[in-house]
Amino acid sequence: MTVELIRSYTHTDGKHVGDLLWWTLADARVTRSTLESVWANAGLAENLLPEPPTPEKALRTAVRGAQVQHDHLLRLGKEDDGEIVFAVVAETRDGAGNVSLAQTARIRLDRARPAKLESDHPGHDLVAAVSAAYDRLLNTHTPDDVRRALVKTLASCAAVTLRDHGGVYWVPAPYAETLRRLRDAVSNIGASRLDVVPIHASPEATAALGDAARASIDDEIAALRIEIEGFLSDPPERASTLARRLETFEGLRAKARLYHTVLQVQVQDLETALNKLTLQVEGLLQTKAA
């Protein structure tokens, strides 16, 4: 079924209440500079971008990717403020069930000079694979980075996931412009695409989306309630942790009110639950201040 055919079934004369969306990331490795340019040209906020690549992240990603393709093992040997060292280890087994390990090379990241990795055996196949991936990743975002940026942007648009494992989302109408900006950005990342299907008001659409929106907020509140119960028995050391939860509560209140406006979702009991959690966190903050 094509996107155009789906749109023909979902279009009604009712008011636009939001959009369904899903995406496909293809050839989505992108340099930081290209991603910043794509993002800016689409008019999206810079704070929605993923964190820039770092030498440490590039090394760890390169190690994960290379290890599954070779018969040697990569083991972290050292990590401190000055360096990160991985050992390349050969594993052998004899007929008696014994396993022997022997280090054959080391890969070192000098944090003060991260432009190139160092090794005592640069010609080793696994060392070469890690080094090549590191050079590529040092200034490049992976498809997973791009996916995280998409999810972060959708979260800022009060999106609701319509599947347990994500993949299909609904975004309420007030964020339609941001969503279309995101679609434009995704279309300029390799061969990726983000499909958007407008949903217009109908009894069936309002009921189904309202139930999904309500369930989404219920799940978030349930997770927060468990976390706050843990704080009550073992308060976090930092007051900033509690302060961030108060910001989270305000965000959920705003989301609930938005859903009430767009889909007539009943939110009074949600407000009550959030108010209770807020009082508990404020009490913890007062205790810390005393």
Side-chain angles (χ1 to χ4, degrees):
M1 182 177 286
T2 66
V3 174
E4 288 72 22
L5 185 57
I6 294 173
R7 289 194 179 105
S8 72
Y9 282 118
T10 57
H11 181 76
T12 69
D13 293 330
K15 178 182 177 182
H16 177 226
V17 294
D19 300 282
L20 294 182
L21 69 111
W22 56 90
W23 65 79
T24 301
L25 296 180
D27 300 326
R29 289 190 182 277
V30 58
T31 63
R32 178 68 182 188
S33 59
T34 298
L35 184 58
E36 287 177 339
S37 177
V38 164
W39 218 250
N41 290 339
L44 292 167
E46 185 178 354
N47 66 345
L48 298 174
L49 284 167
E51 291 296 319
T54 65
E56 180 176 338
K57 182 180 177 183
L59 174 58
R60 294 186 187 280
T61 304
V63 165
R64 285 197 302 272
Q67 184 157 266
V68 299
Q69 303 170 23
H70 294 77
D71 56 1
H72 284 64
L73 305 175
L74 280 164
R75 292 290 181 263
L76 180 64
K78 180 183 179 183
E79 179 177 4
D80 59 26
D81 292 340
E83 63 181 354
I84 301 176
V85 179
F86 278 91
V88 180
V89 178
E91 179 183 271
T92 57
R93 300 169 186 268
D94 64 20
N98 299 309
V99 178
S100 299
L101 300 176
Q103 181 170 323
T104 59
R106 68 198 303 267
I107 300 170
R108 178 177 181 266
L109 169 64
D110 184 342
R111 293 185 186 272
R113 295 186 296 249
K116 287 287 184 182
L117 296 179
E118 301 173 4
S119 177
D120 57 352
H121 192 347
H124 191 290
D125 287 348
L126 189 50
V127 173
V130 171
S131 296
Y134 176 80
D135 292 343
R136 184 176 66 250
L137 292 165
L138 196 54
N139 295 298
T140 301
H141 283 292
T142 65
D144 198 46
D145 291 333
V146 176
R147 180 193 61 77
R148 281 194 291 269
L150 295 183
V151 173
K152 185 176 182 180
T153 304
L154 292 176
S156 76
C157 295
V160 173
T161 179
L162 300 181
R163 297 175 58 202
D164 288 343
H165 300 292
V168 180
Y169 292 78
W170 176 75
V171 170
Y175 294 99
E177 181 178 351
T178 300
L179 178 58
R180 281 149 182 81
R181 291 178 184 273
L182 181 62
R183 179 184 60 187
D184 293 343
V186 171
S187 70
N188 286 297
I189 300 174
S192 304
R193 60 182 291 165
L194 187 150
D195 291 300
V196 176
V197 177
I199 301 297
H200 296 79
S202 69
E204 294 85 357
T206 299
L209 293 172
D211 287 346
R214 171 64 194 235
S216 173
I217 298 180
D218 280 339
D219 289 345
E220 290 185 72
I221 290 178
L224 286 168
R225 185 179 289 115
I226 292 172
E227 184 179 45
I228 301 306
E229 287 174 354
F231 288 168
L232 291 172
S233 60
D234 185 16
E237 294 183 4
R238 297 182 178 179
S240 59
T241 301
L242 298 171
R244 284 195 296 270
R245 294 306 173 272
L246 293 178
E247 294 174 1
T248 301
F249 298 157
E250 283 305 309
L252 278 177
R253 284 193 184 89
K255 184 186 287 190
R257 291 164 186 164
L258 173 62
Y259 292 154
H260 176 69
T261 301
V262 175
L263 299 171
Q264 292 76 55
V265 174
Q266 295 304 310
V267 298
Q268 184 174 355
D269 61 325
L270 298 177
E271 292 267 9
T272 299
L274 287 169
N275 289 340
K276 181 179 179 180
L277 292 173
T278 298
L279 289 173
Q280 290 175 327
V281 172
E282 288 176 342
L284 288 170
L285 282 169
Q286 291 171 4
T287 300
K288 278 193 167 294

